Amino acid sequence: MRVITTLVIITLLAACASNTKLDLNIPANAKIGIVNLLDENPHHSHSGTTVFTNNKKTIEADWEIHQIEEYTLSQLEVYKDNSVKIIEPTPELLAARYELLNESWGAKLDKKYEADMKKVRDDHEINYLIVIRPYGDSSYPSTVISFGYGVYTDCFFGICRADALANVDALLFELSDSINYLGHGVKLKPYHITRVDIDLKKGVENFTVDDYENARDPVNQLIKERIDSLISRSGLREQI
């Protein structure tokens, strides 16, 4: 019991620390780019009773994920003197989206991708970049690693649940002579607790596009919360 209590306290302290304001001094006339590295289609990750019943697939539905970068733009363009633009993702950044950060000794941009980031800086004449990207995570005690956004389902001896899935980061980089990783938005709550109403009795293998629709709005809201967190932590909201 003492161990569990200690773990809970450590978790709470870590969450509070990660939600603190970033110590940044972004100028009011900053030129900010927004790039969205999320897949066009959502995903369905399923954890079954055994590893042999685990499954992952692409959901053939358009959840208009491009609205995420447009939402980010709408939150930034009202700030005085900021020049903000949406940037088309390059093939290099898309290929590197899961590996942009080297977190072995404190998070920083992996040096392998410095040249790609500098090219974005020079091509678009920006000095800050917000990167919206997917990451991989599992829902304990599942062995299924879920990437990006969509639906996560879990069945254990006939007891099933369906959750909105939003494993999405919002990262901020300073693009100067060197490329500096400044921070990210934080999770306001665990992303696997937003239950969605899907008829699980029909079997996950029989889901249709319409069955997934109830997860669309919760997923978009979770991603927006992550972006809002980054904008607030970075101090950009104070530049009105």
Side-chain angles (χ1 to χ4, degrees), residues 2-3 24 46 109 161 182 204:
R2 183 179 299 174
V3 173
L24 305 178
H46 176 69
L109 177 71
R161 76 175 201 250
L182 301 179
V204 295

Side-chain angles (χ1 to χ4, degrees), residues 39-44 56-61 212:
D39 290 325
E40 291 186 7
N41 298 103
H43 301 278
H44 177 188
K56 300 178 185 178
K57 69 176 183 179
T58 298
I59 302 171
E60 299 299 332
Y212 294 111

Side-chain angles (χ1 to χ4, degrees), residues 163-236:
D163 300 339
L165 175 69
N167 288 336
V168 174
D169 269 334
L171 311 178
L172 179 62
F173 293 89
E174 179 187 20
L175 311 184
S176 55
D177 291 338
S178 59
I179 309 299
N180 301 308
Y181 168 63
L182 301 179
H184 60 91
V186 297
K187 296 180 182 180
L188 303 184
K189 56 185 175 181
Y191 279 7
H192 290 294
I193 64 171
T194 302
R195 297 292 165 84
V196 289
D197 185 16
I198 297 178
D199 182 8
L200 295 166
K201 294 179 181 178
K202 67 190 302 183
V204 295
E205 68 278 3
N206 298 316
F207 285 178
T208 66
V209 170
D210 291 339
D211 291 320
Y212 294 111
E213 190 64 23
N214 286 339
R216 176 174 173 168
D217 288 345
V219 163
N220 276 275
Q221 183 58 38
L222 288 169
I223 297 174
K224 288 176 181 178
E225 288 175 1
R226 194 70 177 255
I227 292 166
D228 288 343
S229 171
L230 173 64
I231 294 173
S232 295
R233 295 186 72 211
S234 65
L236 283 169

Side-chain angles (χ1 to χ4, degrees), residues 75-89:
Q75 299 302 297
L76 290 171
E77 64 184 357
V78 298
Y79 302 136
K80 67 176 184 181
D81 301 329
N82 283 152
S83 174
V84 189
K85 64 174 74 173
I86 294 173
I87 294 172
E88 284 295 317

Side-chain angles (χ1 to χ4, degrees), residues 47-105:
S47 177
T49 302
T50 69
V51 295
F52 303 106
T53 52
N54 293 348
N55 189 31
K56 300 178 185 178
K57 69 176 183 179
T58 298
I59 302 171
E60 299 299 332
D62 180 8
W63 285 6
E64 297 182 327
I65 203 64
H66 64 272
Q67 292 185 359
I68 295 301
E69 66 257 32
E70 292 171 358
Y71 170 80
T72 310
L73 177 67
S74 72
Q75 299 302 297
L76 290 171
E77 64 184 357
V78 298
Y79 302 136
K80 67 176 184 181
D81 301 329
N82 283 152
S83 174
V84 189
K85 64 174 74 173
I86 294 173
I87 294 172
E88 284 295 317
T90 64
E92 292 80 11
L93 287 182
L94 282 170
R97 56 188 175 164
Y98 294 113
E99 303 173 346
L100 278 175
L101 296 182
N102 183 338
E103 302 188 58
S104 56
W105 294 97

Side-chain angles (χ1 to χ4, degrees), residues 149-166:
Y149 69 100
V151 171
Y152 171 84
T153 54
D154 185 301
C155 288
F156 188 71
F157 292 108
I159 301 174
C160 302
R161 76 175 201 250
D163 300 339
L165 175 69

